[in-house]
Amino acid sequence: MPITDCELAADVRIPCPELVNLYGCQVGNQSSIGPFVEIQRGCKVGDRCKISSHAFLCEGVELEDQVFVGHGVMFTNDLLPASTNPDGTLKGASDWMLMRTLVRHGAAIGSNATILCGITIGESALIGAGAVVTQDVPPYAIVVGVPARVTGDIRSRNAMPPEVVRMTTTEVAS
């Protein structure tokens, strides 16, 4: 898989460059891109981002600095996807409207989350694994579920789901 026509900072880490598909994108300083990642034309990835394996960033996605994208995260860029026009002809580049998505500084997106287009994920928000995000996420919010709903605020350990508090407490004690 190729890396073509990209603006990559000199210190971008791509441990398996033969296993990524990057084209026409920008990737900032000290960012890391795992294997089997696709980043399409027009995407912008900020500084010190981590994009885990099997993630898909389609045209129109922008990640600000220090964003974490978990394994298998999928972004979308079309609210009305279809293969053909009403007359039955195959859709081309001019037959759809690009919807942009913005992920603000320090946000984290858990594995296998799906991010619908046209939304903003707020600063330092946490998207739970497997969530389907269909609307804007406020800064510092924890969102989980299908569709994703706010369940807490990352600034308050008491607002976190009990299983997250338990896991964090156990890991810190080790």
Side-chain angles (χ1 to χ4, degrees):
M1 292 189 267
I3 299 174
T4 57
D5 192 30
C6 296
E7 294 179 34
L8 303 179
D11 54 357
V12 170
R13 291 184 30 230
I14 306 175
C16 301
E18 69 283 3
L19 298 177
V20 299
N21 189 23
L22 311 180
Y23 54 95
C25 60
Q26 298 174 4
V27 181
N29 294 310
Q30 299 177 347
S31 288
S32 174
I33 300 171
F36 307 107
V37 167
E38 180 168 337
I39 305 176
Q40 294 185 334
R41 182 171 318 288
C43 287
K44 294 179 183 175
V45 175
D47 295 341
R48 295 173 307 285
C49 291
K50 181 176 182 184
I51 302 172
S52 302
S53 69
H54 299 88
F56 175 70
L57 283 69
C58 52
E59 181 180 2
V61 171
E62 180 178 350
L63 308 180
E64 291 186 344
D65 297 342
Q66 299 179 31
V67 169
F68 173 81
V69 176
H71 301 281
V73 169
M74 296 290 143
F75 287 87
T76 67
N77 61 7
D78 187 356
L79 283 178
L80 300 170
S83 63
T84 59
N85 294 305
D87 66 1
T89 59
L90 192 62
K91 278 193 170 195
S94 64
D95 295 321
W96 66 287
M97 186 173 76
L98 174 67
M99 299 289 294
R100 299 191 177 280
T101 299
L102 175 61
V103 182
R104 294 280 188 194
H105 181 271
I109 304 172
S111 294
N112 293 313
T114 299
I115 312 301
L116 296 189
C117 55
I119 66 168
T120 297
I121 295 174
E123 178 181 356
S124 297
L126 174 62
I127 310 301
V132 177
V133 181
T134 61
Q135 57 190 335
D136 289 350
V137 175
Y140 306 102
I142 300 169
V143 300
V144 298
V146 179
R149 301 255 190 266
V150 175
T151 61
D153 185 304
I154 66 160
R155 296 170 292 189
S156 169
R157 287 181 70 95
N158 295 334
M160 287 187 179
E163 62 276 9
V164 173
V165 172
R166 221 178 2 264
M167 178 184 71
T168 305
T169 304
T170 304
E171 287 176 355
V172 170
S174 301

